[in-house]
Amino acid sequence: MKNHIKHSAPTGKVYLVGAGPGDPGLITLRGKYLLERAEVVVYDYLANKKLLNYVPDDATLIYAGKKGGGLHAFTQEGINQLLVEQASAGKRVVRLKGGDPFIFGRGAEEIEELVQAGIEFEVVPGVTSATAAATYAGIPITHRDYTASVAFVTGHEAPGKKESNIAWDKLATGAGTIVIYMGIKNLPVITRKLMDNGRAPDTPVAVVRWASTPIQHSVVGTLETITDVVQKAGIRPPALVIVGEVVKLRKSIDWFETRPLFGKRMVITRTRAQASELVAHLEEYGAECLEYSTIHIEPLDDYQQLDQALERIKSYDWILFTSLNAITYFFKRLNATGRDSRALASCCVGAVGRATAEALMEYGIRADLVPEKFTGEGLAESLIKNGVQKSRILLPRALKAMETLPEMLDDAGAEVTVAPVYQNVPPQGRKEELREELAKGEIDLVTFTSSSTVTNFLTMVDAADKKELDKLLTNVRIAAIGPITAETVTRNGLKVDIQPDKYTITDMVAAIVDHYRDLTP
Ligand code: SAH
């Protein structure tokens, strides 16, 4: 490289990104891409905090506050200044704003400031809350038969104000559908203005709070009645008001709030790596999932036992995998010792269930045996049926695990080598949060997918005695994936409410859905 090239000071850039209305799945791909590469993120009250999971661990997160009426963490000037400062320091700054940054988001004001300071920027649009609220309330914002126009209006500007920027006289009958942002406080005045200016009092109106989130709450009325309806339902901001004939379509199109698990809050106790499938399924049915990774999986300090087994790997007739973690950590170590899947060429491989068998396929290994009953016991039974007398069996697994499988095989005359490959550690930290959630009585269900999730959950809850435990779990239902997990639940004095016939995530979710379906009249 030529050394006469002078490096100019690093120039930062600000990306004004629309976070979407609430559901973190509604951010754009571009928005996600930028979050994944951000060095500084300045985010708002309305942007879903879950989106911050995309941000690199070493990035700086700054909450810019702004809750209607409440305390502002920053003034608008403060935010503008912050953006200029961070970008001038050479940082890649994502300014994350609820909905679309240019729709009632003061995004332009922030950009103007950047322009003045000569700072580079980009704006990424977002799904604005108006369309999301309507869609998620089952209201098509336009419809050939009902309306040919939509108006987005701010309700923040009190219509009593002398010089209103809103021509209520023209708006009232000029736009087919009218969507009002920030209109809850002024709702009585707004509806009155619309009626006084010629909109029919029986025009349907919907109000949607926290649209596209698990706590979405919609109510419907008419221009004449909606103020009362909203008050009785206790609807506070953030909410959108949708006025127009299209609101009638909600009756047949409503889909979001009618999902079978909508409004149910569930604690998911799984390992962090494994939580996603269960959570995705439950969310699909409308549940709100609070993920508590009661187990934290860690590698071992010492792999002596496995290493010795690997030295003589060819001498084993069977290798059995009873969990996804066992597979992950076994192959990690296999690779770390300079080997790969071919080392297993002469052994038969058994998997406890469908998911473990699929995971093995990713290492190029088709399981020779998957039992009908997806448990350690089931695996032992099918092996024994095949005959295991004098068979040499390697069992890579958790440091602490149930002895049923090795004992059964041992009793049947097999020679079993147990090689620990990972350990379960209960994580610290989120204990208080979990206890608080339970104490508030806002949890409907807890899911358990293994015995250790049960014991670790109980460790986290840390009840002083059985009485306190019962109190914390008063209205909480318990779902257990299979008989062994269920037994651990009952052994701890608790009752299992939901248990699927087959021990898979899909069947467990189906059982949960059925349970709640049966409860609703
Ligand atoms: N830029 C944002 C709007 C910011 S103004 C957008 O494009 O959506 C803030 C107002 O937006 C709130 O007072 C409320 O009326 C509305 N809003 C934002 N998110 C909402 C949500 N999830 N549900 C209902 N209303 C919402």
Side-chain angles (χ1 to χ4, degrees):
M1 191 152 153
K2 290 179 194 157
N3 55 12
H4 65 262
I5 295 178
K6 267 209 208 121
H7 288 280
S8 52
T11 50
K13 186 166 172 178
V14 175
Y15 300 88
L16 182 58
V17 175
D23 180 342
L26 293 177
I27 192 169
T28 59
L29 289 173
R30 178 75 184 147
K32 176 170 170 265
Y33 175 92
L34 292 169
L35 282 176
E36 285 164 348
R37 285 157 185 79
E39 290 172 303
V40 177
V41 178
V42 183
Y43 63 99
D44 270 0
Y45 165 65
L46 284 171
N48 193 322
K49 308 288 164 294
K50 282 192 179 170
L51 292 171
L52 300 177
N53 290 337
Y54 291 128
V55 178
D57 287 341
D58 56 354
T60 313
L61 302 177
I62 302 170
Y63 177 57
K66 280 222 175 181
K67 185 172 169 176
L71 272 182
H72 286 195
F74 273 92
T75 58
Q76 187 60 52
E77 255 103 81
I79 297 172
N80 298 352
Q81 211 179 334
L82 180 71
L83 296 177
V84 171
E85 267 168 29
Q86 294 290 336
S88 306
K91 302 283 191 216
R92 220 168 19 251
V93 184
V94 169
R95 170 73 174 116
L96 189 65
K97 290 175 90 76
D100 182 284
F102 278 177
I103 300 185
F104 303 124
R106 306 187 74 166
E109 293 170 43
E110 293 172 16
I111 296 294
E112 277 164 353
E113 202 78 22
L114 299 173
V115 172
Q116 279 213 333
I119 286 163
E120 266 194 76
F121 64 89
E122 175 182 327
V123 186
V124 182
V127 173
T128 190
S129 55
T131 57
T135 303
Y136 280 63
I139 301 166
I141 212 162
T142 73
H143 187 298
R144 251 187 343 158
D145 299 341
Y146 297 91
T147 172
S149 57
V150 189
F152 288 174
V153 184
T154 170
H156 196 54
E157 178 188 86
K161 178 173 140 184
K162 268 208 198 94
E163 305 229 347
S164 172
N165 284 324
I166 302 165
W168 291 96
D169 53 334
K170 300 200 173 87
L171 181 72
T173 50
T177 308
I178 305 170
V179 188
I180 303 146
Y181 292 71
M182 300 170 277
I184 295 304
K185 219 175 91 214
N186 290 327
L187 193 58
V189 200
I190 292 167
T191 47
R192 171 86 356 247
K193 278 265 167 192
L194 291 173
M195 289 187 286
D196 285 353
N197 285 295
R199 195 71 180 235
D202 63 356
T203 307
V205 181
V207 172
V208 187
R209 179 168 196 249
W210 277 125
S212 82
T213 74
I215 54 167
Q216 174 174 315
H217 183 185
S218 318
V219 291
V220 179
T222 62
L223 273 182
E224 218 165 16
T225 65
I226 195 71
T227 301
D228 257 6
V229 174
V230 161
Q231 209 192 358
K232 286 210 181 84
I235 297 213
R236 286 168 292 124
L240 278 154
V241 183
I242 304 159
V243 180
E245 297 303 312
V246 283
V247 170
K248 286 183 182 154
L249 291 160
R250 172 174 159 84
K251 262 202 209 98
S252 54
I253 297 181
D254 188 16
W255 61 276
F256 185 73
E257 286 169 57
T258 55
R259 292 169 306 159
L261 300 181
F262 182 78
K264 300 281 179 279
R265 299 185 88 212
M266 306 187 173
V267 167
I268 311 303
T269 52
R270 291 206 76 183
T271 62
R272 241 186 145 30
Q274 294 171 338
S276 47
E277 194 198 347
L278 179 60
V279 169
H281 274 66
L282 290 170
E283 283 179 349
E284 180 91 27
Y285 287 107
E288 176 179 11
C289 295
L290 309 171
E291 286 176 63
Y292 287 95
S293 53
T294 57
I295 307 180
H296 187 65
I297 303 292
E298 278 185 7
L300 302 178
D301 298 328
D302 176 9
Y303 278 99
Q304 208 186 340
Q305 274 164 289
L306 180 67
D307 288 352
Q308 279 171 4
L310 291 178
E311 285 299 323
R312 44 171 204 271
I313 184 93
K314 290 201 169 65
S315 72
Y316 289 101
D317 302 300
W318 283 92
I319 303 179
L320 305 182
F321 291 100
T322 51
S323 73
L324 296 175
N325 290 315
I327 296 176
T328 310
Y329 285 91
F330 174 84
F331 282 97
K332 258 196 195 148
R333 189 66 193 171
L334 188 76
N335 291 341
T337 57
R339 302 174 171 92
D340 62 27
S341 297
R342 287 171 297 178
L344 280 60
S346 62
C347 317
C348 289
V349 174
V352 74
R354 205 185 313 143
T356 33
E358 273 166 21
L360 282 170
M361 282 300 275
E362 281 172 32
Y363 295 93
I365 292 169
R366 184 181 298 278
D368 300 285
L369 180 82
V370 183
E372 250 162 52
K373 231 169 71 190
F374 295 169
T375 62
E377 217 172 84
L379 183 58
E381 278 165 9
S382 7
L383 262 174
I384 291 167
K385 230 193 279 162
N386 282 353
V388 288
Q389 186 74 29
K390 295 228 169 64
S391 288
R392 290 173 53 85
I393 300 176
L394 176 62
L395 179 60
R397 60 166 206 186
L399 188 59
K400 269 194 248 155
M402 306 267 267
E403 296 305 330
T404 329
L405 172 62
E407 275 172 13
M408 284 174 74
L409 294 171
D410 198 65
D411 288 348
E415 205 183 297
V416 186
T417 310
V418 172
V421 291
Y422 68 94
Q423 55 186 331
N424 295 323
V425 220
Q428 305 298 317
R430 303 190 60 199
K431 201 166 126 178
E432 285 313 312
E433 205 180 318
L434 176 62
R435 276 180 65 95
E436 235 168 72
E437 288 283 350
L438 289 168
K440 278 193 286 181
E442 284 173 0
I443 303 295
D444 296 288
L445 178 90
V446 180
T447 60
F448 293 121
T449 47
S450 70
S451 289
S452 36
T453 56
V454 182
T455 39
N456 283 341
F457 173 80
L458 292 172
T459 315
M460 286 244 290
V461 172
D462 197 20
D465 50 26
K466 179 74 174 49
K467 213 170 125 206
E468 198 203 359
L469 181 66
D470 284 343
K471 193 160 164 245
L472 283 170
L473 299 179
T474 311
N475 292 314
V476 180
R477 284 164 213 276
I478 293 178
I481 196 163
I484 298 193
T485 310
E487 200 194 299
T488 313
V489 173
T490 35
R491 201 164 3 93
N492 283 287
L494 298 169
K495 192 175 138 270
V496 175
D497 303 283
I498 302 164
Q499 191 186 323
D501 295 332
K502 274 207 269 155
Y503 326 141
T504 69
I505 296 292
T506 320
D507 290 286
M508 168 129 149
V509 172
I512 294 172
V513 170
D514 286 346
H515 178 84
Y516 282 105
R517 229 176 232 142
D518 291 346
L519 288 182
T520 40

